């Protein structure tokens, strides 16, 4: 299977800070010299990033808010495809995380629940649907195309303190498995990254940065490990402590999904 080394133009949604920013700059540094489009809702961060690292013209910026309505998301996808017709890969990095205590149900902020669901899952499935006509066309023309989803080790073994976050990542994990099965014959390759707890702004609003900093994986280490795996032909990439849970609970699942899908196709064709 092709890998990120074969990508010529990649859009990274949610790449103005944290994991997304670090991966964007590492991908930009690949010897294959791809065009990297950093994407986020804060124009000033996009401008700063491109100004600091885009001296050779391969780093571009594109403003997009994943919480925009469906019509706006569709229009943004159309705009980026029009501006960058060579786009062959999209990586979805955006994510938010909130803690909820259902032993005190009156404390659960359902508006935050909805925002978390929209950011971590619904916006992703919407944008994947809007990008796929272009990516399938690219794949059929002979250039491998890629969808990179970023879930979490918590998609495999949920952390009860962030129940909705885990549910959204589990949904994206399941979607990644099924899209992998459906799209593999279209030369569209679906790759899922499953990070552990990583140094990130994701946790700043929780007021627990000092505590978590004692146990999380440093961002530089995560980035190096992830880039190493992205250069391989693996379609699921559990990093650090996520790898142990993945091995325990997920071994063989992708093969089972593909077998189920192929069996269903064969049965349908016989009718």
């Amino acid at each position: 299977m092709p890998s990120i080394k074969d990508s010529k133009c990649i859009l990274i949604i949610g790449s103005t800070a944290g994991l997304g920013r670090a991966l964007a700059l590492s991908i930009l540094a690949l010897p294959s010299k791809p065009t990297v489009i950093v994407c986020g809702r804060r124009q000033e961060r996009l401008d700063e990033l491109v100004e600091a690292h885009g001296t050779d013209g391969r780093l571009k910026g594109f403003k997009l808010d994943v919480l925009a309505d469906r019509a706006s998301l569709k229009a943004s996808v159309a705009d980026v495809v029009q501006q960058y017709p060579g786009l062959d890969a999209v990586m979805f990095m955006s994510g938010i995380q909130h803690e909820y205590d259902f032993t005190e149900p009156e404390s659960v902020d359902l508006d935050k629940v909805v925002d978390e669901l929209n950011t971590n899952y619904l916006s992703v499935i919407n944008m994947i649907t809007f990008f796929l006509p272009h990516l399938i066309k690219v794949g059929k023309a002979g250039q491998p195309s890629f969808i990179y989803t970023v879930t979490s080790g918590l998609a495999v073994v949920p952390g009860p303190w962030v129940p909705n976050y885990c549910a959204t990542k589990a949904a994206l994990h399941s979607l990644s498995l099924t899209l992998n099965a459906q799209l593999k014959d279209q030369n569209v390759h679906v790759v899922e990254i499953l990070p552990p707890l990583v140094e990130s702004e994701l946790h700043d609003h929780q007021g627990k940065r000092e505590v978590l900093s004692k146990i999380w994986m440093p961002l530089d280490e995560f980035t190096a490990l992830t880039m190493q795996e992205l250069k391989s032909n693996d379609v699921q990439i559990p990093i650090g402590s996520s790898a142990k849970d993945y091995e325990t609970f997920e071994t063989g699942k992708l093969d089972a999904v593909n077998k189920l899908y192929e069996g269903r196709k064969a049965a349908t064709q016989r009718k």
Side-chain angles (χ1 to χ4, degrees):
M1 189 191 103
S3 75
I4 200 163
K5 294 181 291 184
D6 299 291
S7 176
K8 298 178 180 178
C9 181
I10 180 169
L11 172 72
I12 305 177
I13 297 171
S15 51
T16 57
L19 279 64
R21 184 181 188 277
L23 284 176
L25 294 179
S26 293
I27 293 169
L28 185 70
L30 286 171
S32 53
K33 296 188 179 299
T35 296
V36 177
I37 310 162
V38 287
C39 180
R41 60 183 174 84
R42 290 171 284 194
Q43 186 65 53
E44 66 278 5
R45 285 201 174 189
L46 293 171
D47 293 342
E48 290 169 2
L49 191 53
V50 172
E51 182 177 355
H53 301 279
T55 53
D56 67 354
R58 290 188 296 112
L59 186 65
K60 311 292 185 180
F62 188 87
K63 185 179 179 182
L64 182 147
D65 183 356
V66 299
L67 289 180
D69 60 81
R70 189 184 303 166
S72 297
L73 283 178
K74 188 173 185 178
S76 292
V77 169
D79 285 347
V80 75
V81 168
Q82 182 178 25
Q83 289 184 42
Y84 303 99
L87 180 73
D88 57 30
V90 183
M91 181 178 288
F92 296 94
M93 296 292 309
S94 297
I96 57 174
Q97 183 186 95
H98 297 292
E99 295 188 359
Y100 306 98
D101 183 357
F102 282 88
T103 67
E104 298 179 0
E106 66 279 358
S107 72
V108 176
D109 187 333
L110 292 175
D111 289 333
K112 288 184 177 180
V113 169
V114 172
D115 281 349
E116 204 168 25
L117 177 62
N118 285 335
T119 301
N120 297 353
Y121 182 69
L122 292 178
S123 69
V124 178
I125 193 172
N126 281 331
M127 287 186 285
I128 285 175
T129 304
F130 299 147
F131 275 115
L132 268 175
H134 172 75
L135 294 177
I136 290 173
K137 181 179 178 181
V138 169
K140 287 184 175 179
Q143 168 62 26
S145 61
F146 304 87
I147 294 170
Y148 294 96
T149 61
V150 180
T151 60
S152 171
L154 296 177
V156 178
V157 178
W161 55 95
V162 284
N164 192 53
Y165 176 83
C166 300
T168 63
K169 292 299 186 178
L172 188 56
H173 170 56
S174 179
L175 181 69
S176 302
L177 290 169
T178 54
L179 290 181
N180 185 284
Q182 287 191 5
L183 297 172
K184 62 182 180 179
D185 292 336
Q186 305 296 320
N187 204 15
V188 179
H189 307 277
V190 181
V191 179
E192 178 187 3
I193 304 168
L194 297 93
L197 175 64
V198 180
E199 175 186 0
S200 169
E201 291 182 0
L202 182 71
H203 311 286
D204 286 358
H205 71 282
Q206 297 168 349
K208 296 183 178 180
R209 186 176 183 88
E210 183 177 350
V211 174
L212 295 177
S213 66
K214 299 175 182 178
I215 58 174
W216 64 27
M217 176 180 284
L219 180 57
D220 289 347
E221 181 181 353
F222 166 79
T223 305
L225 290 171
T226 302
M227 287 302 300
Q228 180 180 339
E229 295 299 323
L230 284 172
K231 295 173 187 176
S232 72
N233 60 359
D234 291 335
V235 298
Q236 290 188 294
I237 302 176
I239 302 296
S241 59
S242 296
K244 182 178 179 180
D245 286 339
Y246 178 88
E247 182 179 357
T248 301
F249 298 104
E250 297 288 319
T251 299
K253 182 179 284 188
L254 180 60
D255 290 339
V257 171
N258 279 299
K259 184 177 180 180
L260 184 63
Y261 181 64
E262 294 301 327
R264 176 65 178 250
K265 281 201 305 182
T268 302
Q269 292 169 357
R270 288 196 295 268
K271 292 182 179 180

